[in-house]
C-alpha cells in the first residue's frame, strides 16, 4: 500500500470481490482487487475482453456495489451507501464518458451539457455560465445549438466530455472513450483528457478503460486485469506520454 | 420548465406513434362525450320539468291509446287545476323533411296558461286565437329558417290523412329550446272529420298546470279515479315522470353506456401503456445514462408519467373538444333530440372527460414509469455494446 496523504486520496479499493448471479450460477468477476488513486492520478485499465474492466470501473464510479471489500471514493464508502445516496453522490463527484457518447438525441449540445446541472440548485444564469465554459473547454461553443445527429463522432464525444466536467466533479471515468473513433478524433479526445488531468484549473482524477495501447500510454499509470486480478502495473508512465 | 421541455421533445421523437396514440384516445373520448351528452340531455329535460307544476294525462295504454276531448274540460274543472290543454303530436313533414320540428295540436286559449314561462306579444297571441289556421312557433325555429309572422307553413300529415296549411301568427320565447310549433286542435279535428277519419275527437294527451305542488298527488288521483272504470282509463303523472318514461325507454342503455365508458377507458389505458412501454424500451440506454449522471428515481418516474399524462391529456382535449363540436352541431340540426346547448348537456362531463384522460395517463404510465425508475443502471448501460 502506498503512503499517500489522506486528503489527497480519491479512490481506495480494498480487497474487493465482485460476483454476478445469473439463475443458479455464480460468476466471479473480480477476486481481490486493491488499488489507490490520489488527486491528479490518471489510470488506464487494460486487459482482455471479459476480464472485468467495466465491472471495476462501475464500482469505482458508484454505479454498483462490491460483493465484499470496500470501495471508498471521495470519502464515501460506496458499498454501504443506499441507491439514493449513490445517485446523489455520483451527481456531485463523478463525470461519465462512454464509448458510444450516449448523448440524449432530442436535446441540443447545450441542453445535453446542462442536464447534470438541472439536478443542482444553480440559477438559470449560473447554469448558462457553466455550460458555456464547459463547451469552451472542449472547443464547441459555436455548436451548442446542434443536435447530436448533426455532429461528428469526435464532436459528440467532446460534448459528452463537457457534460462530464460541467459539475466540476473530482473523478472522471471513461469506458473506452476512443473505442468508436478514428485515429485523429481519438487523438483529440486524448489530448483533451490530458489537459483535464494536468492543467491546474482542472486537476481531474481519471480512470480510463481502454484496449488501445496508444491511449493507455497517455495515462500516468497502467493496470492490467486478467481473470479478475490485477496482474501488472506500470507507474510513472508520464515521461513517455509527454514525449509523444 | 426544463423537465417539461424534455418530456415534450420525447413525445415528438416518434411523432407518428404519439399522434396515433393521441388520436385513439381522442376519438374514443369524443364518442363517450357524445353518448354522455345525449344521456345528460335526457336528465336535464327531466330535471327542468320537475320545477314546473305540470301533470300529463294520457291513456293508460300509452300514446296509441285514446283520450276523448271531453276529458280536457273535466280536467279543467278538477280542483287545483289552473289550466289544461289537449296536446296531440302531429308529426307532419315539411317539404322534403321528415321531422322538421315538433308540431302539436292544442288549444290557443290556454296553451300559454299551461306554460306561463313562455312569452309572446299579446297582439300575436290574439291573432293566433282568432285565426283558425294560425300557428305559433319557437323563436329558434323561426330564426333557423328565416320565417316571419305572416309566412305560410304547409305541413304534410304523416300519421293523419290530412295536410295542414298554417300561417304564422306569432313567435314565442322559451327558456329552453322547445323546437315546437302549436296550432289549433279544432283545425285538425275538423279536417279529420271531413276525411271520415275514425279516431276523431281525440286530445292525444292533456297537459295541465296545477296551482300548487302539494296538490299534485291529489289531482292525479282524482283524475285517474274518475276514469278508472270508463272506456278510456287514464294514467296521469308529473311532467318529470313523463320525461322519465322516455329515459326508461332507453332502459338499461344508460347503465350500459356508462359501463362501456369504463371499459373504453380501461382498454385505452392498455393502448397508451403499450405505446409508452415501446418508447421506454427504445430508451433503456438513455434512461441508464440519466440515472448514471445522478437523476434520482423519483425524477425518472415523474418524467415517464409526465409523458404518458401529456399524451393522454392531449387526447382528452381533442376528444372532449370534438365531442362538444359534434353535440353543438346536433343541437343546431336536430334540436328535438338534442334540445340543450353543449354547456347545458355537458357541464360536468367536460371536467369528467379531462379527469378520465388524466387518470388514463397515470394508469398507462405507472408500469413503464416504475420499470424505468427501478431499472438497473449497469444493465441499461450494457445494452450499448
Ligand atoms: N450484470 C452482469 N450480469 C452477469 N454477468 C455480468 C454482468 N456484468 C458483467 N458480467 C460478466 O462479468 C465479466 C466481466 O465483464 P466486464 O464487462 O467487466 O468485462 P470487460 O473487461 O469490460 O470486457 P470488454 O472489454 O469486453 O468490455 C463478463 O464475463 C461478463 O459476462
Ligand atoms: Mg467493458
Amino acid at each position: 500500500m502506498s503512503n499517500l496523504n489522506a486528503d489527497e486520496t480519491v479512490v481506495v479499493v480494498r480487497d474487493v470481490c465482485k460476483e454476478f448471479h445469473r439463475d443458479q450460477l455464480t460468476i466471479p468477476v473480480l477476486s481481490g482487487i486493491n488499488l489507490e488513486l490520489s488527486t491528479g492520478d490518471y489510470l488506464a485499465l487494460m486487459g482482455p475482453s471479459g476480464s472485468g474492466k467495466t465491472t471495476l470501473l462501475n464500482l469505482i464510479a458508484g454505479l454498483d456495489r462490491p460483493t465484499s471489500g470496500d470501495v471508498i471514493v471521495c470519502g464515501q464508502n460506496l458499498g454501504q451507501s443506499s441507491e439514493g445516496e449513490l445517485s446523489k453522490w455520483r451527481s456531485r463527484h463523478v463525470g461519465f464518458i462512454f464509448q458510444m457518447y450516449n448523448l440524449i438525441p432530442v436535446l441540443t449540445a447545450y441542453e445535453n451539457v446542462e442536464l447534470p446541472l438541472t439536478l443542482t440548485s444553480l440559477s438559470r444564469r449560473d447554469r448558462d455560465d457553466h455550460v458555456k465554459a464547459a463547451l469552451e473547454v472542449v472547443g464547441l461553443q459555436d455548436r451548442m445549438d446542434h443536435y447530436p445527429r448533426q455532429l461528428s463522432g469526435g464532436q459528440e464525444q467532446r460534448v459528452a466530455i463537457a457534460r462530464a466536467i460541467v459539475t466540476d466533479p473530482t473523478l472522471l471515468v471513461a469506458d473506452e472513450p476512443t473505442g468508436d473513433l478514428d485515429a485523429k478524433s481519438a487523438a483529440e479526445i486524448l489530448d483533451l483528457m490530458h489537459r483535464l488531468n494536468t492543467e491546474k484549473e482542472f486537476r481531474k482524477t481519471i480512470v480510463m478503460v481502454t484496449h488501445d495501447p496508444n491511449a493507455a500510454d497517455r495515462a500516468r499509470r497502467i493496470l492490467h486485469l486478467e481473470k479478475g486480478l490485477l496482474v501488472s502495473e506500470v507507474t510513472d508512465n508520464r515521461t513517455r506520454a509527454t514525449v509523444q | 420548465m426544463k423537465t417539461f421541455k424534455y418530456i415534450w421533445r420525447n413525445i415528438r421523437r416518434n411523432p407518428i406513434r404519439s399522434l396515433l396514440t393521441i388520436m385513439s384516445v381522442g376519438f374514443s373520448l369524443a364518442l363517450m362525450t357524445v353518448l354522455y351528452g345525449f344521456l345528460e340531455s335526457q336528465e336535464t329535460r327531466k330535471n327542468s320539468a320537475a320545477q314546473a307544476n305540470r301533470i300529463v294525462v294520457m291513456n293508460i295504454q300509452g300514446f296509441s291509446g285514446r283520450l276523448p276531448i271531453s276529458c280536457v274540460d273535466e280536467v279543467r274543472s278538477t280542483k287545483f287545476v289552473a289550466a289544461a290543454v289537449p296536446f296531440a303530436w302531429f308529426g307532419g313533414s315539411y317539404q322534403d323533411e321528415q321531422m322538421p320540428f315538433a308540431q302539436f295540436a292544442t288549444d290557443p286559449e290556454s296553451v300559454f296558461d299551461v306554460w306561463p314561462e313562455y312569452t309572446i306579444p299579446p297582439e300575436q297571441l290574439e291573432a293566433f286565437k282568432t285565426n283558425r289556421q294560425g300557428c305559433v312557433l319557437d323563436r329558434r325555429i323561426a330564426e333557423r329558417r328565416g320565417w316571419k309572422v305572416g309566412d305560410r307553413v304547409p305541413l304534410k300529415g304523416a300519421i293523419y290523412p290530412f295536410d295542414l296549411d298554417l300561417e304564422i301568427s306569432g313567435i314565442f320565447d322559451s327558456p329552453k329550446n322547445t323546437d315546437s310549433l302549436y296550432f289549433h286542435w279544432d283545425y285538425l279535428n275538423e279536417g279529420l272529420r271531413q276525411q271520415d277519419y275514425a279516431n276523431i275527437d281525440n286530445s292525444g294527451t292533456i297537459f295541465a298546470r296545477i296551482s300548487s305542488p302539494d296538490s299534485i298527488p291529489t289531482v292525479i288521483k282524482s283524475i285517474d279515479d274518475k276514469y278508472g272504470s270508463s272506456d278510456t282509463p287514464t294514467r296521469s303523472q308529473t311532467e318529470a315522470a313523463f320525461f322519465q318514461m322516455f329515459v326508461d325507454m332507453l332502459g338499461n342503455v344508460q347503465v350500459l353506456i356508462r359501463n362501456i365508458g369504463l371499459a373504453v377507458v380501461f382498454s385505452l389505458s392498455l393502448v397508451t401503456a403499450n405505446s409508452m412501454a415501446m418508447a421506454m424500451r427504445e430508451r433503456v440506454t438513455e434512461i441508464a445514462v440519466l440515472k448514471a449522471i445522478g437523476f434520482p428515481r423519483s425524477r425518472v418516474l415523474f418524467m415517464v408519467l409526465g409523458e404518458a399524462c401529456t399524451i393522454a391529456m392531449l387526447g382528452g382535449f381533442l376528444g372532449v373538444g370534438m365531442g362538444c363540436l359534434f353535440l353543438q352541431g346536433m343541437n343546431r340540426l336536430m334540436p328535438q333530440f338534442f334540445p340543450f346547448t353543449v354547456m347545458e348537456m355537458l357541464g360536468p362531463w367536460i371536467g369528467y372527460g379531462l379527469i378520465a384522460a388524466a387518470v388514463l395517463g397515470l394508469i398507462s404510465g405507472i408500469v413503464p414509469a416504475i420499470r424505468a425508475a427501478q431499472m438497473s443502471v449497469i444493465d441499461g448501460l450494457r445494452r450499448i455494446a
Side-chain angles (χ1 to χ4, degrees):
Chain A
M1 291 257 154
S2 49
N3 246 343
L4 284 164
N5 184 332
D7 294 337
E8 286 195 22
T9 309
V10 180
V11 178
V12 178
V13 176
R14 201 181 293 136
D15 302 326
V16 159
C17 296
K18 178 71 187 176
E19 338 178 300
F20 289 105
H21 300 273
R22 279 287 133 103
D23 307 317
Q24 267 98 327
L25 234 65
T26 300
I27 310 160
V29 178
L30 300 177
S31 20
I33 303 284
N34 283 290
L35 172 69
E36 269 189 32
L37 296 173
S38 38
T39 309
D41 258 347
Y42 187 168
L43 171 72
L45 268 179
M46 299 189 75
S49 185
S51 57
K53 304 182 295 294
T54 299
T55 303
L56 178 57
L57 192 72
N58 287 345
L59 290 175
I60 294 172
L63 290 173
D64 203 356
R65 281 170 286 211
T67 310
S68 67
D70 291 316
V71 180
I72 300 161
V73 185
C74 303
Q76 179 105 1
N77 190 329
L78 304 182
Q80 277 151 33
S81 306
S82 72
E83 185 119 351
E85 286 167 340
L86 283 181
S87 158
K88 202 166 194 174
W89 174 85
R90 286 195 303 267
S91 71
R92 217 170 286 153
H93 296 287
V94 190
F96 288 89
I97 303 163
F98 304 96
Q99 177 175 359
M100 299 306 293
Y101 335 127
N102 282 342
L103 298 177
I104 308 296
V106 293
L107 301 181
T108 62
Y110 180 97
E111 290 161 345
N112 265 287
V113 177
E114 192 188 15
L115 208 52
L117 295 178
T118 62
L119 297 170
T120 66
S121 55
L122 288 180
S123 73
R124 207 190 167 80
R125 276 212 41 191
D126 286 344
R127 289 207 305 260
D128 187 62
D129 291 343
H130 283 71
V131 173
K132 284 180 176 151
L135 281 168
E136 195 178 339
V137 170
V138 301
L140 284 174
Q141 230 186 349
D142 53 333
R143 299 297 215 113
M144 65 185 188
D145 292 327
H146 289 223
Y147 286 90
R149 64 177 185 291
Q150 298 167 316
L151 301 171
S152 71
Q155 288 168 334
E156 277 194 74
Q157 192 61 300
R158 274 147 69 194
V159 173
I161 291 175
R163 179 176 70 185
I165 61 172
V166 75
T167 52
D168 196 22
T170 322
L171 181 69
L172 288 183
V173 298
D175 199 344
E176 302 188 36
T178 57
D180 213 56
L181 295 174
D182 62 76
K184 186 169 162 291
S185 304
E188 281 171 11
I189 295 299
L190 291 169
D191 285 343
L192 192 52
M193 289 177 65
H194 181 82
R195 272 181 61 205
L196 293 172
N197 175 243
T198 51
E199 285 181 13
K200 245 218 187 74
E201 53 188 303
F202 304 118
R203 287 268 289 164
K204 300 296 174 205
T205 307
I206 301 178
V207 183
M208 170 178 70
V209 168
T210 185
H211 282 293
D212 176 7
N214 290 325
D217 275 350
R218 306 290 299 268
R220 287 174 200 261
R221 292 164 72 186
I222 301 176
L223 280 175
H224 283 268
L225 259 178
E226 209 133 331
K227 293 187 181 134
L229 290 166
L230 287 174
V231 289
S232 63
E233 176 163 12
V234 182
T235 27
D236 247 335
N237 187 33
R238 181 48 52 121
T239 25
R240 270 198 303 163
T242 34
V243 166
Q244 272 183 333
Chain B
M1 231 240 89
K2 181 89 188 156
T3 308
F4 190 77
K5 185 158 87 180
Y6 189 11
I7 289 175
W8 182 241
R9 298 260 184 93
N10 275 333
I11 289 172
R12 290 191 15 195
R13 168 187 297 224
N14 194 330
I16 305 256
R17 181 169 62 207
S18 298
L19 204 69
L20 287 176
T21 312
I22 289 169
M23 289 200 328
S24 71
V25 175
F27 280 114
S28 315
L29 279 179
L31 186 68
M32 291 311 302
T33 303
V34 171
L35 289 175
Y36 272 86
F38 180 68
L39 290 183
E40 287 303 312
S41 73
Q42 305 292 328
E43 288 291 311
T44 312
R45 193 206 295 253
K46 192 181 85 192
N47 294 341
S48 59
Q51 288 153 21
N53 299 330
R54 271 188 293 266
I55 63 166
V56 185
V57 184
M58 57 199 282
N59 187 296
I60 200 157
Q61 278 159 14
F63 293 106
S64 54
R66 199 180 133 73
L67 194 59
I69 190 68
S70 55
C71 293
V72 177
D73 280 334
E74 292 182 59
V75 169
R76 278 175 182 152
S77 60
T78 307
K79 203 172 173 206
F80 302 122
V81 171
V85 286
F87 210 65
W89 173 263
F90 181 70
S93 55
Y94 173 74
Q95 292 171 354
D96 295 337
E97 293 173 65
Q98 293 296 324
M99 289 254 264
F101 39 77
Q103 309 123 29
F104 295 99
T106 185
D107 176 8
E109 294 294 336
S110 315
V111 66
F112 287 93
D113 298 330
V114 175
W115 282 276
E117 69 266 35
Y118 300 174
T119 56
I120 183 167
E123 68 281 5
Q124 291 186 5
L125 179 56
E126 213 42 51
F128 178 36
K129 286 176 181 172
T130 51
N131 181 358
R132 194 180 174 73
Q133 284 173 251
C135 69
V136 293
L137 44 79
D138 195 302
R139 180 172 304 284
R140 296 163 185 93
I141 302 177
E143 278 172 359
R144 190 166 76 231
R145 295 176 183 266
W147 287 346
K148 322 176 290 298
V149 172
D151 285 353
R152 298 209 80 88
V153 181
L155 291 174
K156 199 165 157 39
I159 310 168
Y160 301 104
F162 181 65
D163 299 340
L164 304 175
D165 182 21
L166 299 171
E167 182 187 338
I168 299 174
S169 309
I171 291 167
F172 65 85
D173 289 290
S174 60
K176 296 267 155 64
N177 189 357
T178 64
D179 197 47
S180 296
L181 174 150
Y182 303 146
F183 63 93
H184 287 242
W185 181 88
D186 289 337
Y187 175 40
L188 175 63
N189 201 50
E190 274 315 302
L192 291 175
R193 191 191 304 283
Q194 277 159 29
Q195 305 288 324
D196 289 328
Y197 186 67
N199 189 14
I200 57 165
D201 294 335
N202 182 4
S203 65
T205 57
I206 299 171
F207 273 70
R209 187 164 62 82
I210 313 304
S211 50
S212 84
D214 303 334
S215 39
I216 287 179
T218 324
V219 175
I220 285 176
K221 189 168 182 322
S222 70
I223 294 174
D224 287 352
D225 283 352
K226 188 186 295 180
Y227 292 101
S229 52
S230 73
D231 297 347
T232 53
T234 57
R235 173 174 170 203
S236 306
Q237 54 193 332
T238 61
E239 193 177 20
F242 178 73
F243 285 123
Q244 179 65 45
M245 256 174 35
F246 289 97
V247 177
D248 291 345
M249 277 182 204
L250 295 171
N252 285 332
V253 170
Q254 202 144 356
V255 179
L256 190 68
I257 290 181
R258 287 181 208 276
N259 286 338
I260 289 175
L262 283 178
V264 166
V265 169
F266 179 73
S267 65
L268 274 181
S269 69
L270 297 183
V271 171
T272 319
N274 180 47
S275 110
M276 281 311 293
M278 269 161 70
M280 290 309 122
R281 224 164 10 248
E282 287 161 13
R283 279 184 235 153
V284 165
T285 311
E286 218 172 297
I287 294 168
V289 170
L290 291 179
K291 294 178 80 170
I293 65 178
F295 274 57
R297 283 178 175 187
S298 56
R299 183 107 177 236
V300 174
L301 191 83
F302 177 81
M303 278 178 46
V304 180
L305 272 184
E307 186 172 334
C309 285
T310 306
I311 287 181
M313 290 302 283
L314 285 173
F317 281 111
L318 180 75
V320 173
M322 286 194 306
C324 287
L325 280 180
F326 183 82
L327 284 175
Q328 200 176 16
M330 294 310 275
N331 174 241
R332 203 161 300 152
L333 295 174
M334 301 173 70
Q336 61 269 43
F337 295 117
F338 295 86
F340 302 101
T341 64
V342 171
M343 282 319 283
E344 283 168 334
M345 280 190 264
L346 281 180
W349 163 256
I350 294 180
Y352 298 152
L354 295 178
I355 291 171
V359 170
L360 187 85
L362 288 176
I363 296 176
S364 63
I366 193 74
V367 173
I370 289 176
R371 288 183 65 169
Q374 306 244 312
M375 188 188 76
S376 143
V377 183
I378 52 166
D379 287 347
L381 288 174
R382 289 187 87 77
R383 278 262 203 118
I384 308 163

